[in-house]
Amino acid sequence: MPTPSDRGVPPVDPAIEPIRVLRPRRTDALAELLKDLPPRPAVGYEPVVLPGRPSGTEDATEELPPVRDDPRVRDLPRGRVPGLRRTAVAAAVTAAAVIGFGGALLLTDRTESTAVAAPRPSATAPVAPVPTSTPTPSGATDPDGAGTLREGDSGPEVTDLQQRLRHIPNVYDNGSTDGTYDATLAAAVARFQLWYGIRGDEDGVYGDDTRRDLESRTGGG
């Protein structure tokens, strides 16, 4: 078995090329056979006579007039019918008028039936006496409460108010406790109402809401 002298070098042999075998076609024998065939006779066609026009057809046939394009139809937008919008508007106006007329008739009938059904007062019906209000003396009731104190009042209740306000920081510092409700005390009461969000009494008036809040902060009276 032959071995190559050098294992790393492949052996150099001539490459094997594919061989294409061409076989010539025998067309000459076929041509010889076609020559021996007899010629075919020419095929003829039989003439066909066309039927003539029936008599009287031209007289009975009328030519239709040519169709002309109407420029008005051509200019209309696609999908719209001429006069449809006016018809719809007229129908809507008519329907609204009919509905309004029917509503007016119904309202008139209902008003008349109500007027007929309502009983008329008799001439002999007793007349209810008109209540007369008796005037009350001014100052009898206070809108802010029974124990309301305002500017111009005096007494031990004013002294108690002054003492309580002195316990609230920066409201009535070093204020007088002489028992007189003066402008300084009214300003202190208004300041206390503003700072602590009291809305039930007038500004500067010591009413029920102001009294309740002040007593809750300085101890019950």
Side-chain angles (χ1 to χ4, degrees):
M1 178 175 181
T3 58
S5 60
D6 193 358
R7 293 180 179 274
V9 178
V12 178
D13 292 331
I16 300 176
E17 296 181 358
I19 299 175
R20 185 178 181 184
V21 179
L22 301 177
R23 295 180 180 178
R25 295 181 180 181
R26 300 181 64 182
T27 58
D28 297 338
L30 181 61
E32 292 295 334
L33 291 176
L34 292 177
K35 288 180 179 179
D36 296 339
L37 292 176
R40 291 184 179 182
V43 179
Y45 296 97
E46 297 180 359
V48 178
V49 180
L50 296 177
R53 294 183 180 181
S55 60
T57 55
E58 291 293 335
D59 299 335
T61 303
E62 295 182 2
E63 184 179 358
L64 295 177
V67 179
R68 298 180 181 178
D69 295 337
D70 193 350
R72 295 175 299 175
V73 178
R74 194 186 313 173
D75 296 339
L76 288 176
R78 184 175 299 177
R80 295 186 180 181
V81 181
L84 182 60
R85 185 175 181 181
R86 294 182 180 179
T87 306
V89 171
V93 172
T94 305
V98 171
I99 293 174
F101 184 70
L105 289 179
L106 291 177
L107 183 60
T108 305
D109 295 342
R110 185 174 298 177
T111 305
E112 292 178 358
S113 60
T114 305
V116 171
R120 296 182 180 180
S122 59
T124 59
V127 180
V130 179
T132 58
S133 59
T134 58
T136 58
S138 60
T141 58
D142 199 319
D144 294 320
T148 302
L149 299 176
R150 53 173 42 91
E151 187 175 354
D153 294 341
S154 60
E157 294 183 355
V158 178
T159 303
D160 180 71
L161 170 61
Q162 293 172 338
Q163 293 176 355
R164 289 179 181 277
L165 286 177
R166 292 183 66 175
H167 289 84
I168 305 298
N170 302 326
V171 174
Y172 193 58
D173 295 341
N174 300 324
S176 175
T177 57
D178 56 357
T180 303
Y181 205 118
D182 53 4
T184 304
L185 183 59
V189 172
R191 190 179 304 112
F192 175 77
Q193 293 171 339
L194 178 63
W195 287 1
Y196 293 94
I198 302 172
R199 304 296 183 186
D201 300 326
E202 299 180 9
D203 294 341
V205 177
Y206 189 59
D208 290 342
D209 295 342
T210 309
R211 181 190 300 274
R212 190 180 306 110
D213 192 275
L214 182 59
E215 290 179 353
S216 66
R217 298 177 187 276
T218 57

PDB file of all heavy atoms in Angstrom, residues 95-120:
ATOM      1  N   ALA A  95     -94.241  70.208  12.363  1.00  0.00           N
ATOM      2  CA  ALA A  95     -94.373  69.369  13.557  1.00  0.00           C
ATOM      3  C   ALA A  95     -94.292  70.197  14.831  1.00  0.00           C
ATOM      4  O   ALA A  95     -95.050  69.989  15.788  1.00  0.00           O
ATOM      5  CB  ALA A  95     -93.292  68.287  13.550  1.00  0.00           C
ATOM      6  N   ALA A  96     -93.376  71.183  14.873  1.00  0.00           N
ATOM      7  CA  ALA A  96     -93.266  72.034  16.056  1.00  0.00           C
ATOM      8  C   ALA A  96     -94.533  72.850  16.270  1.00  0.00           C
ATOM      9  O   ALA A  96     -94.992  73.036  17.401  1.00  0.00           O
ATOM     10  CB  ALA A  96     -92.045  72.953  15.913  1.00  0.00           C
ATOM     11  N   ALA A  97     -95.101  73.353  15.178  1.00  0.00           N
ATOM     12  CA  ALA A  97     -96.335  74.129  15.305  1.00  0.00           C
ATOM     13  C   ALA A  97     -97.480  73.270  15.817  1.00  0.00           C
ATOM     14  O   ALA A  97     -98.266  73.689  16.681  1.00  0.00           O
ATOM     15  CB  ALA A  97     -96.686  74.747  13.951  1.00  0.00           C
ATOM     16  N   VAL A  98     -97.583  72.037  15.308  1.00  0.00           N
ATOM     17  CA  VAL A  98     -98.654  71.141  15.773  1.00  0.00           C
ATOM     18  C   VAL A  98     -98.483  70.804  17.244  1.00  0.00           C
ATOM     19  O   VAL A  98     -99.442  70.805  18.035  1.00  0.00           O
ATOM     20  CB  VAL A  98     -98.665  69.867  14.906  1.00  0.00           C
ATOM     21  CG1 VAL A  98     -99.612  68.829  15.489  1.00  0.00           C
ATOM     22  CG2 VAL A  98     -99.085  70.211  13.476  1.00  0.00           C
ATOM     23  N   ILE A  99     -97.245  70.531  17.673  1.00  0.00           N
ATOM     24  CA  ILE A  99     -96.995  70.203  19.082  1.00  0.00           C
ATOM     25  C   ILE A  99     -97.314  71.384  19.987  1.00  0.00           C
ATOM     26  O   ILE A  99     -97.916  71.258  21.048  1.00  0.00           O
ATOM     27  CB  ILE A  99     -95.542  69.748  19.249  1.00  0.00           C
ATOM     28  CG1 ILE A  99     -95.324  68.412  18.535  1.00  0.00           C
ATOM     29  CG2 ILE A  99     -95.175  69.615  20.729  1.00  0.00           C
ATOM     30  CD1 ILE A  99     -93.882  67.957  18.525  1.00  0.00           C
ATOM     31  N   GLY A 100     -96.903  72.597  19.568  1.00  0.00           N
ATOM     32  CA  GLY A 100     -97.195  73.775  20.382  1.00  0.00           C
ATOM     33  C   GLY A 100     -98.691  74.048  20.476  1.00  0.00           C
ATOM     34  O   GLY A 100     -99.206  74.393  21.546  1.00  0.00           O
ATOM     35  N   PHE A 101     -99.416  73.871  19.373  1.00  0.00           N
ATOM     36  CA  PHE A 101    -100.857  74.103  19.404  1.00  0.00           C
ATOM     37  C   PHE A 101    -101.546  73.084  20.302  1.00  0.00           C
ATOM     38  O   PHE A 101    -102.449  73.416  21.080  1.00  0.00           O
ATOM     39  CB  PHE A 101    -101.397  74.012  17.962  1.00  0.00           C
ATOM     40  CG  PHE A 101    -102.870  74.329  17.849  1.00  0.00           C
ATOM     41  CD1 PHE A 101    -103.343  75.617  18.033  1.00  0.00           C
ATOM     42  CD2 PHE A 101    -103.791  73.324  17.563  1.00  0.00           C
ATOM     43  CE1 PHE A 101    -104.692  75.903  17.929  1.00  0.00           C
ATOM     44  CE2 PHE A 101    -105.140  73.593  17.465  1.00  0.00           C
ATOM     45  CZ  PHE A 101    -105.601  74.895  17.642  1.00  0.00           C
ATOM     46  N   GLY A 102    -101.113  71.803  20.223  1.00  0.00           N
ATOM     47  CA  GLY A 102    -101.710  70.790  21.091  1.00  0.00           C
ATOM     48  C   GLY A 102    -101.426  71.048  22.554  1.00  0.00           C
ATOM     49  O   GLY A 102    -102.288  70.885  23.425  1.00  0.00           O
ATOM     50  N   GLY A 103    -100.170  71.489  22.872  1.00  0.00           N
ATOM     51  CA  GLY A 103     -99.860  71.812  24.267  1.00  0.00           C
ATOM     52  C   GLY A 103    -100.682  72.971  24.789  1.00  0.00           C
ATOM     53  O   GLY A 103    -101.122  72.979  25.944  1.00  0.00           O
ATOM     54  N   ALA A 104    -100.919  73.975  23.942  1.00  0.00           N
ATOM     55  CA  ALA A 104    -101.741  75.111  24.371  1.00  0.00           C
ATOM     56  C   ALA A 104    -103.173  74.673  24.643  1.00  0.00           C
ATOM     57  O   ALA A 104    -103.810  75.116  25.619  1.00  0.00           O
ATOM     58  CB  ALA A 104    -101.704  76.202  23.296  1.00  0.00           C
ATOM     59  N   LEU A 105    -103.715  73.794  23.808  1.00  0.00           N
ATOM     60  CA  LEU A 105    -105.078  73.304  24.036  1.00  0.00           C
ATOM     61  C   LEU A 105    -105.165  72.509  25.333  1.00  0.00           C
ATOM     62  O   LEU A 105    -106.103  72.667  26.128  1.00  0.00           O
ATOM     63  CB  LEU A 105    -105.513  72.439  22.857  1.00  0.00           C
ATOM     64  CG  LEU A 105    -105.784  73.178  21.534  1.00  0.00           C
ATOM     65  CD1 LEU A 105    -106.180  72.187  20.452  1.00  0.00           C
ATOM     66  CD2 LEU A 105    -106.896  74.220  21.726  1.00  0.00           C
ATOM     67  N   LEU A 106    -104.173  71.643  25.585  1.00  0.00           N
ATOM     68  CA  LEU A 106    -104.185  70.861  26.826  1.00  0.00           C
ATOM     69  C   LEU A 106    -104.085  71.751  28.046  1.00  0.00           C
ATOM     70  O   LEU A 106    -104.759  71.543  29.058  1.00  0.00           O
ATOM     71  CB  LEU A 106    -103.036  69.854  26.802  1.00  0.00           C
ATOM     72  CG  LEU A 106    -103.159  68.704  25.782  1.00  0.00           C
ATOM     73  CD1 LEU A 106    -101.912  67.846  25.823  1.00  0.00           C
ATOM     74  CD2 LEU A 106    -104.402  67.863  26.081  1.00  0.00           C
ATOM     75  N   LEU A 107    -103.220  72.776  27.983  1.00  0.00           N
ATOM     76  CA  LEU A 107    -103.070  73.688  29.111  1.00  0.00           C
ATOM     77  C   LEU A 107    -104.343  74.468  29.360  1.00  0.00           C
ATOM     78  O   LEU A 107    -104.768  74.682  30.507  1.00  0.00           O
ATOM     79  CB  LEU A 107    -101.898  74.641  28.846  1.00  0.00           C
ATOM     80  CG  LEU A 107    -101.557  75.625  29.971  1.00  0.00           C
ATOM     81  CD1 LEU A 107    -101.182  74.865  31.242  1.00  0.00           C
ATOM     82  CD2 LEU A 107    -100.414  76.545  29.548  1.00  0.00           C
ATOM     83  N   THR A 108    -105.013  74.898  28.293  1.00  0.00           N
ATOM     84  CA  THR A 108    -106.264  75.643  28.458  1.00  0.00           C
ATOM     85  C   THR A 108    -107.344  74.761  29.074  1.00  0.00           C
ATOM     86  O   THR A 108    -108.075  75.183  29.982  1.00  0.00           O
ATOM     87  CB  THR A 108    -106.726  76.176  27.092  1.00  0.00           C
ATOM     88  OG1 THR A 108    -105.673  76.946  26.513  1.00  0.00           O
ATOM     89  CG2 THR A 108    -107.959  77.030  27.244  1.00  0.00           C
ATOM     90  N   ASP A 109    -107.447  73.497  28.609  1.00  0.00           N
ATOM     91  CA  ASP A 109    -108.450  72.588  29.178  1.00  0.00           C
ATOM     92  C   ASP A 109    -108.173  72.301  30.639  1.00  0.00           C
ATOM     93  O   ASP A 109    -109.089  72.251  31.469  1.00  0.00           O
ATOM     94  CB  ASP A 109    -108.467  71.284  28.380  1.00  0.00           C
ATOM     95  CG  ASP A 109    -108.939  71.509  26.945  1.00  0.00           C
ATOM     96  OD1 ASP A 109    -109.564  72.566  26.700  1.00  0.00           O
ATOM     97  OD2 ASP A 109    -108.665  70.645  26.088  1.00  0.00           O
ATOM     98  N   ARG A 110    -106.921  72.120  31.015  1.00  0.00           N
ATOM     99  CA  ARG A 110    -106.587  71.837  32.405  1.00  0.00           C
ATOM    100  C   ARG A 110    -106.891  73.035  33.305  1.00  0.00           C
ATOM    101  O   ARG A 110    -107.378  72.902  34.416  1.00  0.00           O
ATOM    102  CB  ARG A 110    -105.100  71.459  32.518  1.00  0.00           C
ATOM    103  CG  ARG A 110    -104.671  71.035  33.907  1.00  0.00           C
ATOM    104  CD  ARG A 110    -103.250  70.551  33.904  1.00  0.00           C
ATOM    105  NE  ARG A 110    -103.094  69.373  33.051  1.00  0.00           N
ATOM    106  CZ  ARG A 110    -101.928  68.770  32.824  1.00  0.00           C
ATOM    107  NH1 ARG A 110    -100.821  69.249  33.390  1.00  0.00           N
ATOM    108  NH2 ARG A 110    -101.888  67.708  32.060  1.00  0.00           N
ATOM    109  N   THR A 111    -106.610  74.255  32.783  1.00  0.00           N
ATOM    110  CA  THR A 111    -106.895  75.454  33.579  1.00  0.00           C
ATOM    111  C   THR A 111    -108.394  75.609  33.804  1.00  0.00           C
ATOM    112  O   THR A 111    -108.857  75.938  34.899  1.00  0.00           O
ATOM    113  CB  THR A 111    -106.325  76.692  32.875  1.00  0.00           C
ATOM    114  OG1 THR A 111    -104.929  76.482  32.629  1.00  0.00           O
ATOM    115  CG2 THR A 111    -106.501  77.929  33.725  1.00  0.00           C
ATOM    116  N   GLU A 112    -109.181  75.349  32.749  1.00  0.00           N
ATOM    117  CA  GLU A 112    -110.626  75.481  32.895  1.00  0.00           C
ATOM    118  C   GLU A 112    -111.191  74.434  33.853  1.00  0.00           C
ATOM    119  O   GLU A 112    -112.061  74.723  34.688  1.00  0.00           O
ATOM    120  CB  GLU A 112    -111.289  75.361  31.523  1.00  0.00           C
ATOM    121  CG  GLU A 112    -110.979  76.532  30.584  1.00  0.00           C
ATOM    122  CD  GLU A 112    -111.619  76.338  29.221  1.00  0.00           C
ATOM    123  OE1 GLU A 112    -112.249  75.277  29.034  1.00  0.00           O
ATOM    124  OE2 GLU A 112    -111.512  77.240  28.365  1.00  0.00           O
ATOM    125  N   SER A 113    -110.675  73.177  33.774  1.00  0.00           N
ATOM    126  CA  SER A 113    -111.175  72.144  34.683  1.00  0.00           C
ATOM    127  C   SER A 113    -110.800  72.438  36.122  1.00  0.00           C
ATOM    128  O   SER A 113    -111.568  72.209  37.049  1.00  0.00           O
ATOM    129  CB  SER A 113    -110.604  70.791  34.268  1.00  0.00           C
ATOM    130  OG  SER A 113    -109.178  70.815  34.335  1.00  0.00           O
ATOM    131  N   THR A 114    -109.631  73.018  36.353  1.00  0.00           N
ATOM    132  CA  THR A 114    -109.234  73.380  37.721  1.00  0.00           C
ATOM    133  C   THR A 114    -110.108  74.495  38.253  1.00  0.00           C
ATOM    134  O   THR A 114    -110.514  74.509  39.421  1.00  0.00           O
ATOM    135  CB  THR A 114    -107.759  73.802  37.732  1.00  0.00           C
ATOM    136  OG1 THR A 114    -106.972  72.749  37.173  1.00  0.00           O
ATOM    137  CG2 THR A 114    -107.278  74.083  39.143  1.00  0.00           C
ATOM    138  N   ALA A 115    -110.409  75.455  37.382  1.00  0.00           N
ATOM    139  CA  ALA A 115    -111.258  76.559  37.830  1.00  0.00           C
ATOM    140  C   ALA A 115    -112.672  76.079  38.146  1.00  0.00           C
ATOM    141  O   ALA A 115    -113.317  76.557  39.085  1.00  0.00           O
ATOM    142  CB  ALA A 115    -111.287  77.644  36.759  1.00  0.00           C
ATOM    143  N   VAL A 116    -113.171  75.103  37.401  1.00  0.00           N
ATOM    144  CA  VAL A 116    -114.510  74.595  37.671  1.00  0.00           C
ATOM    145  C   VAL A 116    -114.530  73.746  38.929  1.00  0.00           C
ATOM    146  O   VAL A 116    -115.459  73.787  39.733  1.00  0.00           O
ATOM    147  CB  VAL A 116    -115.010  73.790  36.444  1.00  0.00           C
ATOM    148  CG1 VAL A 116    -116.308  73.072  36.783  1.00  0.00           C
ATOM    149  CG2 VAL A 116    -115.216  74.729  35.264  1.00  0.00           C
ATOM    150  N   ALA A 117    -113.475  72.946  39.142  1.00  0.00           N
ATOM    151  CA  ALA A 117    -113.448  72.047  40.298  1.00  0.00           C
ATOM    152  C   ALA A 117    -113.212  72.781  41.598  1.00  0.00           C
ATOM    153  O   ALA A 117    -113.549  72.284  42.668  1.00  0.00           O
ATOM    154  CB  ALA A 117    -112.368  70.984  40.099  1.00  0.00           C
ATOM    155  N   ALA A 118    -112.604  73.957  41.583  1.00  0.00           N
ATOM    156  CA  ALA A 118    -112.313  74.670  42.824  1.00  0.00           C
ATOM    157  C   ALA A 118    -113.618  75.175  43.427  1.00  0.00           C
ATOM    158  O   ALA A 118    -114.427  75.806  42.750  1.00  0.00           O
ATOM    159  CB  ALA A 118    -111.371  75.847  42.541  1.00  0.00           C
ATOM    160  N   PRO A 119    -113.862  74.886  44.720  1.00  0.00           N
ATOM    161  CA  PRO A 119    -115.107  75.352  45.358  1.00  0.00           C
ATOM    162  C   PRO A 119    -115.075  76.854  45.610  1.00  0.00           C
ATOM    163  O   PRO A 119    -114.049  77.417  45.959  1.00  0.00           O
ATOM    164  CB  PRO A 119    -115.127  74.574  46.678  1.00  0.00           C
ATOM    165  CG  PRO A 119    -113.683  74.270  46.960  1.00  0.00           C
ATOM    166  CD  PRO A 119    -113.026  74.097  45.636  1.00  0.00           C
ATOM    167  N   ARG A 120    -116.208  77.444  45.371  1.00  0.00           N
ATOM    168  CA  ARG A 120    -116.313  78.882  45.605  1.00  0.00           C
ATOM    169  C   ARG A 120    -116.724  79.137  47.052  1.00  0.00           C
ATOM    170  O   ARG A 120    -117.565  78.440  47.604  1.00  0.00           O
ATOM    171  CB  ARG A 120    -117.356  79.490  44.660  1.00  0.00           C
ATOM    172  CG  ARG A 120    -116.977  79.368  43.181  1.00  0.00           C
ATOM    173  CD  ARG A 120    -118.019  80.035  42.312  1.00  0.00           C
ATOM    174  NE  ARG A 120    -117.665  79.916  40.896  1.00  0.00           N
ATOM    175  CZ  ARG A 120    -118.411  80.406  39.908  1.00  0.00           C
ATOM    176  NH1 ARG A 120    -119.563  81.034  40.196  1.00  0.00           N
ATOM    177  NH2 ARG A 120    -118.020  80.269  38.668  1.00  0.00           N
TER     178      ARG A 120
END
